[in-house]
Amino acid sequence: MARTVIDVAKEVLERKKEALNPNRMYHIANEMGLTKELNLNGKTPWASFVARIYVDIKENSDSIFEVVATKPMLIKLKNQNINLEAQAEKNSVIKEPKTFYNERDLHPLLSRFVSFNENFKAYTKTIYHESSIKTKKGVDKWLYPDIVGVSFEYRDYQKELNKFIGKFNFLPIKIYAFEMKKHLSVGNFREYYFQAVSNSSWANEGYLVALDIDESDEELMDLIKRLSFSFGIGVISLNSQNVDESVILARAKFKEGLDYSVMNELSTKNADFKKFLESVEEFNIEKEYRSKSEFDEVLDNDRLDNYLINKKIMNN
């Protein structure tokens, strides 16, 4: 008989011998290879896993689970003896789920998403901060965005109108800055968000981007909403099952003006950013093949699928 989410969650709790957040349970089960049995298809398999546990606790009077903390929610088996104080001390340093890929491995997913998404239709370029001019340690800690992007308003216009714009009007463009992370949680969100504020607020729009965002975590969703409203940096949830169906959880606030002083510093210290500005300035819609080669490559469906598998990004 096929195992259920409840069966898998029970096994994870028995093996780990500690109270766990349901979202963390899913990632541990995934690492153990237990989620393959569950056929949790869709954009957010972890959300389906978590929802099943929540429903069981709420509606099943004979549930084997017991909630021992709410912020964040921690669950144990009813018959488990767990020293919660010792566990809290042990977990005082937040640990993110282990993955085989790194943050930069996620760049092609973002490049693909913003290339086709109607809200962007942008070209992107990865910024290799390690190649920047070296300065005093710590001075440039939150200066460099992971990825920058640009969209040209005339990209979808007819040739004649593009020429008209080029001759009689200032070319309308929008500059983006993106900060990439693998995992967002209540524990790390504020730090990562203000990192994005620091290295993205010079652009017309700035975004914090991650693959692993627990959209069922109401506290996290409230944080995203409140901080985005206050500081204007948006949040994008990447979807490895279908990159084109990634979600903008919070839209960035558009700023009319660019911060040229920060852009000058970036251009002076980093060759990738300097080249990005040159590519934007020289962009020619009639020679798009040449211009596109100067930005990050956008993978087609087959190559993207192979990439996700090879980098072990695809959710099982």
Side-chain angles (χ1 to χ4, degrees):
M1 185 174 70
R3 297 216 296 170
T4 67
V5 167
I6 304 304
D7 296 330
V8 170
K10 179 176 182 289
E11 181 172 343
V12 170
L13 289 169
E14 288 175 339
R15 289 201 201 181
K16 299 301 290 184
K17 295 181 172 61
E18 63 179 305
L20 294 169
N21 179 274
N23 186 50
R24 180 69 179 126
M25 281 187 217
Y26 171 84
H27 291 287
I28 293 172
N30 198 39
E31 292 172 12
M32 292 177 175
L34 302 177
T35 57
K36 295 178 181 178
E37 309 172 38
L38 301 177
N39 295 318
L40 295 175
N41 299 318
K43 185 176 80 70
T44 54
W46 55 88
S48 300
F49 182 96
V50 170
R52 181 66 187 88
I53 294 174
Y54 284 170
V55 169
D56 185 79
I57 292 171
K58 184 177 180 180
E59 300 182 0
N60 180 12
S61 59
D62 296 321
S63 175
I64 61 175
F65 305 116
E66 178 182 356
V67 178
V68 295
T70 57
K71 290 188 177 181
M73 178 175 279
L74 295 177
I75 294 169
K76 73 177 187 67
L77 297 174
K78 285 182 177 178
N79 60 357
Q80 276 184 313
N81 293 317
I82 293 174
N83 187 331
L84 294 176
E85 291 183 2
Q87 180 180 333
E89 183 176 347
K90 175 184 175 183
N91 294 335
S92 59
V93 177
I94 298 171
K95 295 182 179 180
E96 295 190 3
K98 180 181 178 182
T99 61
F100 294 99
Y101 56 86
N102 57 47
E103 289 175 1
R104 196 166 283 166
D105 289 335
L106 299 176
H107 288 201
L109 281 67
L110 180 64
S111 296
R112 166 66 182 249
F113 173 61
V114 301
S115 175
F116 293 105
N117 184 269
E118 289 294 328
N119 294 288
F120 296 98
K121 289 197 172 182
Y123 301 93
T124 62
K125 187 173 183 64
T126 293
I127 302 299
Y128 294 89
H129 58 83
E130 62 269 26
S131 64
S132 302
I133 295 175
K134 303 302 179 184
T135 57
K136 185 178 179 180
K137 188 175 180 180
V139 171
D140 298 336
K141 181 180 179 182
W142 284 0
L143 174 63
Y144 304 104
D146 291 320
I147 311 171
V148 290
V150 59
S151 60
F152 301 92
E153 185 172 324
Y154 72 179
R155 181 175 174 180
D156 291 329
Y157 291 164
Q158 294 296 315
K159 179 178 179 181
E160 291 73 21
L161 181 53
N162 288 331
K163 287 183 176 180
F164 179 89
I165 292 173
K167 183 173 182 179
F168 296 107
N169 194 15
F170 178 77
L171 174 62
I173 66 170
K174 188 184 292 184
I175 300 292
Y176 305 93
F178 302 95
E179 176 66 26
M180 180 68 72
K181 298 298 179 184
K182 293 190 291 184
H183 172 75
L184 289 186
S185 66
V186 172
N188 63 28
F189 180 73
R190 286 182 176 87
E191 177 186 356
Y192 290 164
Y193 189 85
F194 286 110
Q195 183 178 353
V197 170
S198 177
N199 61 27
S200 301
S201 58
W202 55 269
N204 294 125
E205 291 186 6
Y207 283 88
L208 175 61
V209 186
L211 177 67
D212 180 9
I213 303 178
D214 180 7
E215 296 175 36
S216 69
D217 188 328
E218 294 182 4
E219 186 178 1
L220 176 58
M221 293 300 104
D222 182 61
L223 264 178
I224 290 174
K225 181 180 178 180
R226 287 191 289 112
L227 292 187
S228 295
F229 178 80
S230 298
F231 298 96
I233 298 298
V235 179
I236 296 173
S237 176
L238 292 176
N239 176 9
S240 64
Q241 298 291 328
N242 188 332
V243 175
D244 295 338
E245 292 185 4
S246 298
V247 177
I248 304 172
L249 297 179
R251 289 293 303 271
K253 290 182 181 177
F254 174 76
K255 297 187 297 296
E256 290 286 348
L258 298 167
D259 189 332
Y260 293 124
S261 62
V262 175
M263 293 176 70
N264 182 65
E265 183 178 6
L266 286 167
S267 181
T268 300
K269 293 181 177 180
N270 186 276
D272 295 318
F273 189 80
K274 181 179 181 180
K275 180 59 181 175
F276 169 74
L277 294 182
E278 292 175 352
S279 298
V280 171
E281 192 275 327
E282 296 173 1
F283 187 88
N284 185 337
I285 192 65
E286 294 182 21
K287 298 180 180 179
E288 190 178 17
Y289 63 91
R290 175 253 177 180
S291 296
K292 287 175 67 174
S293 68
E294 298 180 4
F295 296 100
D296 290 346
E297 184 180 12
V298 177
L299 302 179
D300 61 26
N301 290 339
D302 290 339
R303 294 179 62 198
L304 181 61
D305 288 344
N306 290 331
Y307 178 87
L308 293 170
I309 294 170
N310 292 335
K311 292 293 184 178
K312 299 183 178 180
I313 297 173
M314 181 76 76
N315 292 323
N316 294 320

